[in-house]
Amino acid sequence: MSDREFLKNFQEKVEKKLKEHEISVVQYWHERLGRVVSMKPDGIASLQLEIKKIHDMMENRIKTLKKG
């Protein structure tokens, strides 16, 4: 296998892994937001609280990723 073929195969594998990871991340947040959408909140306050929870989770994840 030539270097060019090796690099092409390696790049394809990396791109596939990145795509799979992105899909799983988007699916996770889609499910989280789906729960909020399906809620029957008593008022705006409980809806805001759920959105704030998701916001905080995302913020914590971003901080964790930036540390590593």
Side-chain angles (χ1 to χ4, degrees):
M1 178 182 291
S2 70
D3 288 345
R4 180 169 267 155
E5 289 173 329
F6 173 78
L7 288 175
K8 182 181 176 193
N9 287 339
F10 184 74
Q11 183 178 10
E12 288 173 355
K13 287 180 183 180
V14 168
E15 288 174 358
K16 182 179 177 185
K17 279 290 188 188
L18 286 172
K19 185 175 181 178
E20 289 172 356
H21 180 71
E22 184 176 5
I23 289 169
S24 71
V25 168
V26 171
Q27 283 176 331
Y28 174 80
W29 291 112
H30 180 261
E31 289 172 13
R32 292 290 307 191
L33 290 173
R35 289 184 217 154
V36 172
V37 168
S38 66
M39 282 178 51
K40 305 287 189 240
D42 297 331
I44 194 76
S46 60
L47 184 58
Q48 284 177 316
L49 182 62
E50 287 301 315
I51 293 171
K52 174 89 170 95
K53 284 181 190 177
I54 292 173
H55 176 268
D56 292 346
M57 288 173 63
M58 292 176 101
E59 187 175 353
N60 288 339
R61 184 66 183 144
I62 290 167
K63 285 179 185 177
T64 301
L65 290 170
K66 284 185 176 181
K67 284 181 185 176

